Amino acid sequence: MTTTGEVHAAARGGPWWWARWRSAVLDVSLAFVSAVECAFEGVRFARDAGIPVAAGVVFGVLAGSALLVRRQWPIAVVLVSIAITPAQMGYLMGVVGLYTLAASELPRRIIGSLAGMSLVGMLIVMFVRVRQDMARGSWDLGDWFVPFAAITTAIGMTAPPLLLGLYVGARRRLMESLRERADSLERELQLLAERAEERAEWARNEERTRIAREMHDVVAHRVSLMVVHAAALQAVARKDPEKAVRNAALVGDMGRQALTELREMLGVLRSGGGVRGAGQSVPLAAVGVAAAAAASKAVDEGEGPCLEELEELVGQSAAAGMVVALSVEGDVRSYAAEVEQTAYRVVQEALTNVHKHAAGAKTYVRLAHRVSEIAMQVENEPPPEVASASSARLPSGGNGLVGMKERVTALGGVFVSGPTDAGGFRVSAVIPAA
C-alpha cells in the first residue's frame, strides 16, 4: 500500500489475491515445480511407509501445490513444509515458504518461531537420513560427520532464505515509507502553495486598501477645502469682490498643493520599479510601499506631514469658514515619523469629515503630549439648521473613519469615533510614543 487502500485496490490487475499477473504466473510455476518434486519424493516415501505408490504421489502433489497460496497464507505454507519434513520431501517449498514468511508483514516473533521449528525439523531429519545413508554405505567418515552434515544442511536450507526474506521485506517497507513520505510531502507542498496563494491574495487586497487610503489622505482634504472655497466664492463673487479674490487665491494655492502631492506620489510609483523595464510588471506590494512613501514623506527631509504643521492645517480649515479651535496640552516633543504622520492624518481626515457632514459647526481640536503616548481628539458641535453660504455638497466615500482606524491600530494605538450626546461627532485616538 502506497497511499490509500483504494489506490492499492485499484492497482490490482491479477486474479484472486495476486496484485499482478506476473506474480500469479511465478507462484503457479513454483507450485508446479514443488508438486513435481514432492511427487518424485513421494515414491520413496510410499515404499518406506509401505503404502501404495499412487497414494504417495498424490500426497506429494497436494503438499507441493501449497505454494500457490504462499502470498496469502505464508504461515500455512511453512507449517505444511514442516509437517512433511519427516517424509523427506518439500525442500523447495520449505525454502520458498521461509523466504515469503520473512518478507511478509508478520511480527518477528512469529517469523522466528516458525524458522526455529523449520530448522529443528530439518536438523533432525537430516541427522537421521545421513546416519542411515552412512549405515548403508561402505565408507566410514567418522561419527563427527553426521552432526556436521546435519547442522550444515539445516542451516543452509534455513538461514539464506530467511535472511534474504528479511532483507527484501525491510527494503519493501522502506520503499513504501519513502513513497508515503513523498506523497505526504506532495500534499503538504500543495497545501503550502494554496496557502501561499491565499496569503498573496490577502497581501494584494491589503496593498490595494493601503494605496486607496494613502490616495484618499493626500487628495481628499485639500480637494474638500477647494470645493468649500469654490462654493464660498460663488456666493460672494458679486457682493464682496475682495473676499472672492482671496478665496480664489486660496483655491489656487490648495489646487497647486494637491497637484504637487499627486505628482510626487505618481513619480514615486513610476520610478518604484527601479531597473524594471517597461514591459515588466511591478508587484502590487512595491506599489503600496511606494504610495506610502510618497504620501507620508519623511519628517527628517522637512517635507512633512508632521505635528508642527497642525496649526497650518487648522488655519486652512478656518480660512474655509470653519469655526475651529486648537489646544495643545503637555510638553511638545518630537516623535517617530510614523507616529507624527498618523496623528496628522487623523486630525486632517476628521476636519475633512466636518467639512463634508457638519458644515458651519464649531470644532475643537485637542492634542495631548503624555509620558508614553500622544492623544488627539476632534469634536464638532451639531451643525446649524441652516447651512452657511460656504457649505457645499461634498461626496463621501465612507472610507475616512476606516482609514484612520487602520492607521492607528497598525501602530498599536486605540481609535474611537461616534456621535456625542449633544448631537455632534467625536473622533479620538491614542498612539504609543515608541
Side-chain angles (χ1 to χ4, degrees):
M1 183 179 294
T2 55
T3 53
T4 61
E6 291 77 10
V7 175
H8 184 64
R12 290 183 175 274
W16 299 339
W17 55 81
W18 287 287
R20 295 184 297 271
W21 278 98
R22 184 176 62 181
S23 301
V25 172
L26 176 61
D27 288 354
V28 170
S29 301
L30 290 174
F32 176 77
V33 175
S34 177
V36 172
E37 176 203 357
C38 291
F40 280 106
E41 293 170 345
V43 175
R44 187 177 64 174
F45 169 70
R47 291 174 180 174
D48 294 341
I51 61 176
V53 175
V57 173
V58 172
F59 175 75
V61 171
L62 293 177
S65 300
L67 277 181
L68 280 173
V69 296
R70 70 182 187 94
R71 298 179 188 268
Q72 189 73 2
W73 298 294
I75 296 178
V77 174
V78 175
L79 290 176
V80 171
S81 68
I82 295 174
I84 64 175
T85 299
Q88 299 181 7
M89 64 173 60
Y91 298 106
L92 176 62
M93 182 171 57
V95 172
V96 176
L98 281 176
Y99 165 79
T100 307
L101 179 70
S104 65
E105 301 293 334
L106 294 172
R108 293 296 178 86
R109 64 179 182 273
I110 297 179
I111 297 175
S113 300
L114 292 176
M117 293 169 60
S118 178
L119 176 65
V120 172
M122 183 66 66
L123 179 64
I124 296 174
V125 170
M126 291 307 299
F127 184 87
V128 174
R129 183 172 181 178
V130 173
R131 190 183 185 94
Q132 291 176 352
D133 291 341
M134 289 186 64
R136 294 171 185 173
S138 58
W139 40 275
D140 185 11
L141 298 177
D143 294 336
W144 63 270
F145 182 75
V146 175
F148 172 77
I151 294 174
T152 303
T153 305
I155 294 177
M157 295 290 290
T158 306
L162 181 66
L163 295 177
L164 180 61
L166 291 175
Y167 167 75
V168 172
R171 184 176 181 273
R172 182 188 301 135
R173 287 189 290 271
L174 176 62
M175 295 301 296
E176 291 178 356
S177 175
L178 292 177
R179 193 176 296 112
E180 290 177 357
R181 290 179 60 184
D183 294 339
S184 176
L185 180 60
E186 183 178 357
R187 290 192 296 269
E188 290 180 1
L189 290 177
Q190 184 177 359
L191 290 176
L192 289 176
E194 293 176 356
R195 293 177 181 175
E197 182 63 25
E198 293 176 358
R199 288 195 295 268
E201 183 63 26
W202 176 83
R204 286 192 290 268
N205 293 334
E206 287 293 317
E207 292 303 331
R208 291 191 187 97
T209 303
R210 183 178 180 182
I211 293 173
R213 183 173 65 244
E214 299 294 345
M215 295 289 291
H216 179 274
D217 290 342
V218 168
V219 179
H221 180 73
R222 298 192 186 281
V223 173
S224 298
L225 292 181
M226 290 171 60
V227 174
V228 172
H229 281 294
L233 177 62
Q234 183 181 4
V236 302
R238 296 180 180 179
K239 299 180 182 179
D240 192 348
E242 293 183 359
K243 187 175 182 180
V245 171
R246 291 195 299 270
N247 287 340
L250 288 174
V251 170
D253 292 340
M254 293 180 183
R256 282 187 290 272
Q257 291 175 1
L259 287 176
T260 300
E261 292 186 359
L262 278 176
R263 190 178 297 111
E264 291 175 354
M265 174 177 289
L266 295 177
V268 173
L269 289 176
R270 288 181 179 274
S271 62
V275 296
R276 298 179 185 270
Q280 293 176 314
S281 61
V282 180
L284 189 59
V287 176
V289 174
S296 302
K297 295 166 286 188
V299 177
D300 54 4
E301 295 180 357
E303 297 178 354
C306 59
L307 293 178
E308 295 178 356
E309 301 177 7
L310 275 183
E311 293 185 3
E312 179 182 355
L313 179 66
V314 172
Q316 292 175 354
S317 295
M322 178 187 294
V323 181
V324 56
L326 172 65
S327 62
V328 180
E329 301 176 2
D331 298 332
V332 178
R333 64 183 189 275
S334 61
Y335 300 90
E338 294 82 359
V339 175
E340 295 206 9
Q341 292 163 7
T342 300
Y344 181 91
R345 295 300 187 190
V346 169
V347 176
Q348 183 187 54
E349 180 60 28
L351 292 177
T352 301
N353 287 340
V354 175
H355 283 292
K356 290 181 179 180
H357 307 291
K362 188 173 182 180
T363 306
Y364 303 93
V365 179
R366 301 181 180 89
L367 185 67
H369 298 273
R370 299 173 182 171
V371 177
S372 58
E373 61 188 16
I374 179 173
M376 64 225 67
Q377 184 183 89
V378 179
E379 181 179 354
N380 62 273
E381 297 179 353
E385 296 181 0
V386 181
S388 62
S390 61
S391 65
R393 294 179 179 178
L394 298 174
S396 175
N399 298 319
L401 294 177
V402 175
M404 284 189 285
K405 185 175 181 179
E406 290 175 351
R407 284 182 176 275
V408 173
T409 54
L411 296 179
V414 178
F415 179 84
V416 179
S417 64
T420 62
D421 296 336
F425 199 85
R426 180 187 298 116
V427 173
S428 303
V430 178
I431 305 174

